[in-house]
Amino acid sequence: MIFEDKASGASKERPNLVRALERVGKGDTLLVVRIDRLARSLSHLLEIVETLRAKGVYFRSINDPIDTSSAQGMLMTQMLGAFAEFERALIRERTRAGIKAAVARGAKPGNPKMRMRDPAAIAEIIFSHNQRHLNELIDERHRWLPTVERLRPHLPWALVLRQVRAITPPVRSFSERTLAKACRNLVRAGYADPSILEAAPRLPLDTRVARLVADRLNTHPDSTLREIASWLSRDLREPTPRGGISWSPEGVRRVIAQARDLKLLVPSAHL
């Protein structure tokens, strides 16, 4: 299958790259012409390669000696990605120098219609900005949207935001308002379940914590009582039933028993 984007390798507006990453499955190979056609930065490249490895997918480049099935291939991928990023940085520097020289000769950089405050040009730029933002959300949603869809609308946005901020490595910097707005944009574009936008019910503190702990166990079934206690205290800063700031393993055990009574735990959550 061939996916083609008419864009620069450094551009974030590449919906067909997103489709390709979603379509590949275990045993498949993602093939590109050159490594700089895949990612817009070294960190983006490594994130894509790790995503592919987690899915059991191989990555190869026609014009680069890359085979991600070996440690040597991964090292080469990182090196070539760094060189590609360095080359783009040089191009940006040359472009800035050219603009500076043109200004010195009397040229006026920028969009002439924008300088004249043309309404159609302004509307076009706003639309383009919104599309870029949406494409960024689509590109990154696999890291944080599953957490939102597990917890919404059972829990309020403030608690969901705590969970999103506890993801490692960290995802984009959300506030409660921008997280809800990002979810609305993804729902509108058809990339998220509309139910996440429904109003959250009022929950007693203990029920709320039971849902948080159940989600943690369902996604990290090997967690220990002590690890969950540390996660509640340090990462989520969730108060105990008595208003304290430090959870004990025994307190977590009681919460897990409640989550089991509420039928919130899947069978693999063994604690």
Side-chain angles (χ1 to χ4, degrees), residues 162-173:
R162 289 191 208 171
Q163 289 274 53
V164 170
R165 285 178 172 172
I167 294 174
T168 53
V171 298
R172 67 165 50 220
S173 179

Side-chain angles (χ1 to χ4, degrees), residues 195-207:
S195 66
I196 65 177
L197 301 180
E198 296 175 5
R202 282 186 169 274
L203 295 174
L205 175 62
D206 55 349
T207 302

Side-chain angles (χ1 to χ4, degrees), residues 85-139:
E85 186 174 357
F86 176 66
E87 182 181 9
R88 284 196 292 268
L90 290 179
I91 293 172
R92 287 194 296 270
E93 287 295 328
R94 288 196 292 268
T95 301
R96 282 195 287 265
I99 292 174
K100 186 176 181 180
V103 170
R105 293 194 300 268
K108 294 182 178 180
N111 188 327
K113 292 184 178 180
M114 282 299 296
R115 290 201 300 270
M116 297 175 63
R117 309 300 295 171
D118 182 274
I122 294 173
E124 183 178 346
I125 288 175
I126 291 175
F127 175 79
S128 176
H129 173 78
N130 291 339
Q131 284 299 112
R132 281 197 301 271
H133 179 65
L134 176 60
N135 285 328
E136 288 179 11
L137 293 176
I138 293 172
D139 194 16

Side-chain angles (χ1 to χ4, degrees), residues 162 205-206 208-209 232-233 237-248 254:
R162 289 191 208 171
L205 175 62
D206 55 349
R208 187 180 75 184
V209 177
L232 285 171
S233 306
R237 299 187 179 183
E238 184 67 25
T240 67
R242 295 185 178 182
I245 59 173
S246 180
W247 282 83
S248 67
R254 288 193 292 270

